[in-house]
Structures are given as C-alpha cells and as structure tokens.
Amino acid sequence: MNGFGNQLKTVFLMSLLTVLVILAGNAIGGSGGMQIAFIFAMVMNFGSYWFSDKMALAMTKAQPISREQSPELYAMVERLADNANLPMPRLYMTPSPQPNAFATGRNPNHAAIAVTRGLMQMLNREELEGVLAHEMAHIKNRDILISTLAAVMAGVITTLAHWAQWALMFGGVGGNDEEGASGLAALPLIILGPIAAMLVQMGISRSREYLADATGAEIAGNSSGLANALQKLERSSAAIPMNVNPSASHMFIVNPLNARRVANLFSTHPPIEERVKRLYTMERR
C-alpha cells in the first residue's frame, strides 16, 4: 500500500508540475508562452523521473566516495543494506562542515546516500549508523523519488516566479489582450509561487521523516543512536550554515537551513524534540 501510495503521489506531483508550468507560461507569454511551457514541462517530467538522483546530487554539490576513501563507511552501509534487504546504494559526500545526510534515487535499485564531511567528523559510530539507517529507511519506504520530485518542483516554481517578476518589471509579460494575458496575470505567480514551493516541501517531508525514523531504528537494531544523532544535528545545523539550494532542503535528515532565521518560519521538518521523543519511546518497549 505504501508503494502504491507513493506511485500516486509521483503521478500527482508530475501532473501538478505540468499544470503549474503551463499556467506560468500563459501568464508570462500568452498562448505562445503556454506552448513553450508545455514542452518544457514534458522535458522536466522526463528528466525528473529518470535523472532525479543526478539532479539532487548536483543541487547539493555531492561527489562520489570510493571504497578506498572510506572503507568503514562502506562496511557500515553494506551491513545496514543487508539488514533492510536492499541493494547497496551509491555513496556520496558533500564538503559542508554541517553534519547532515540525505538519500535520493528513483527506486532501491537506483539509490544513493549522500553524507556531509561534518557528519563523518562529528558523530560516533552508533550515531552515524543511526543516521545511515534512517536514509536506508527512505529507500526501503520508496519515498526517495517523491522527495526528489518535490525538490525539482520547488525549484521550478521558484524559478518561474522569478522569471515572471523580471518579465513584469521589463514589460515582457503576456501578449495582447486577445490572448487573454496581461501583466496582472503574473502577479499571483510572483506572490504565491515561493509559498507554494514551500508548502510542497512541507507536505512531502513531515510525515515521511517520522516513518523513516521508526523504520531506521528497526534497521539499525536500536533507536538511541539516531535519537542522539538528531540532537547533535539540530544544534549543529543552527550554528553551522550550509550552502545548499533551498529547494532541496527538505531532503536532508534535519533542515540544513536552520542557521537562517527565516527558515524557521515554515519548517519543512517535524520538530526534533518530537522525533527524539518517539525514538526513545521505541527504545523503552
């Protein structure tokens, strides 16, 4: 049921992306802009599905890690993949000193886990294993594609809003009145576009993090490692900034933009204290 539900979410997100791009094209360029937007939407949907992992890794500047570079990391992930009955994912690292991690890919056979350099340096073995198990849980629960599509959608919506803003400023919005487009048609996109992008991220991220925490604790064999890691990650993300595309922020295990105060107004992640509380409850059972 979870897999089927995620398939429905995938179809919904891709359909919504298509509609939003077409409407934006109409607002910016009239009927001609709408035709161009339709082609653009088809290309984006194709690319988002088949190259979702590459898009996410590029957005976060992640680079592949070889077994020779980090044999202990490979051994740890291999054990967790065996526990979860999953194929070994590809491993990547971002140079950020902030401790964080995310998983991406279109399915378990085409999955990748990216960790930051700060994560490898700050956590002990049990905590690191808890974080990696959480990311393996995202792969097992088959929500990595949904997360990446949401990142692509958020980026597209925000970009379209910026285009509409510049077009309106320089008088390039819409066509003539017969085409039904005018400068005012772009205003909702300019104002509501960034908010819509944030709501998409919030709607995708919050519920899946609780599920990944619980599944990750089962994969690791304990919940205390992940619980302790989440508390460290929350403190560090508030103190150490990360240079990451905001459209991809919901993909990480904790919000990488916590150092920016504006990010706390509409958090894409559930409260860490509630996640930790649930994990400790699991440990006492």
Side-chain angles (χ1 to χ4, degrees):
M1 182 65 182
N2 184 59
F4 179 70
N6 278 333
Q7 289 178 1
L8 288 179
K9 288 181 181 178
T10 300
V11 173
F12 172 76
L13 282 176
M14 296 178 80
S15 300
L16 182 58
L17 176 60
T18 302
V19 172
L20 288 172
V21 171
I22 291 174
L23 291 176
N26 181 61
I28 296 174
S31 61
M34 187 164 58
Q35 294 172 12
I36 295 174
F38 176 76
I39 297 173
F40 176 70
M42 293 300 100
V43 173
M44 284 301 303
N45 279 332
F46 178 84
S48 297
Y49 181 81
W50 290 105
F51 306 108
S52 59
D53 54 344
K54 292 179 177 60
M55 291 181 178
L57 294 167
M59 292 171 77
T60 56
K61 300 180 176 63
Q63 298 296 321
I65 314 172
S66 68
R67 186 181 296 272
E68 292 72 22
Q69 289 174 303
S70 189
E72 292 185 5
L73 178 65
Y74 266 80
M76 189 177 294
V77 175
E78 284 175 337
R79 187 183 74 80
L80 293 171
D82 186 62
N83 289 351
N85 195 27
L86 290 170
M88 175 70 181
R90 304 188 314 279
L91 299 182
Y92 289 77
M93 180 179 290
T94 69
S96 174
Q98 182 191 106
N100 225 318
F102 71 91
T104 185
R106 65 178 183 269
N107 57 45
N109 291 319
H110 300 85
I113 292 177
V115 298
T116 64
R117 191 171 302 277
L119 186 83
M120 300 294 295
Q121 295 173 343
M122 186 169 296
L123 302 187
N124 62 37
R125 182 178 180 83
E126 185 184 52
E127 293 164 348
L128 178 59
E129 192 171 74
V131 170
L132 293 170
H134 172 98
E135 300 308 331
M136 291 297 301
H138 280 310
I139 298 172
K140 187 177 182 67
N141 295 336
R142 291 179 176 270
D143 57 20
I144 50 176
L145 176 60
I146 298 295
S147 177
T148 308
L149 286 176
V152 173
M153 177 179 287
V156 169
I157 294 173
T158 303
T159 300
L160 289 173
H162 290 160
W163 286 356
Q165 183 178 9
W166 283 102
L168 183 61
M169 289 173 58
F170 291 100
V173 171
N176 52 48
D177 291 337
E178 293 180 357
E179 292 177 317
S182 68
L184 293 177
L187 287 178
L189 177 63
I190 295 171
I191 297 171
L192 300 178
I195 297 176
M198 191 175 297
L199 290 176
V200 168
Q201 292 173 284
M202 289 174 62
I204 294 297
S205 179
R206 284 177 172 258
S207 60
R208 76 186 188 95
E209 290 302 327
Y210 287 129
L211 179 59
D213 286 344
T215 307
E218 294 175 359
I219 293 173
N222 70 82
S223 58
S224 59
L226 178 56
N228 294 336
L230 287 174
Q231 294 177 87
K232 282 187 178 180
L233 267 55
E234 181 184 36
R235 292 191 296 268
S236 299
S237 65
I240 305 172
M242 179 188 285
N243 183 20
V244 63
N245 190 321
S247 298
S249 63
H250 67 279
M251 298 175 58
F252 288 82
I253 185 171
V254 299
N255 192 340
L257 303 180
N258 278 337
R260 307 180 191 178
R261 293 182 179 180
V262 68
N264 295 323
L265 297 177
F266 298 97
S267 177
T268 57
H269 291 65
I272 293 294
E273 57 268 25
E274 179 60 27
R275 294 171 67 181
V276 170
K277 178 182 176 182
R278 295 188 184 196
L279 286 166
Y280 281 142
T281 300
M282 290 181 60
E283 189 75 10
R284 290 194 293 268
R285 289 176 183 171

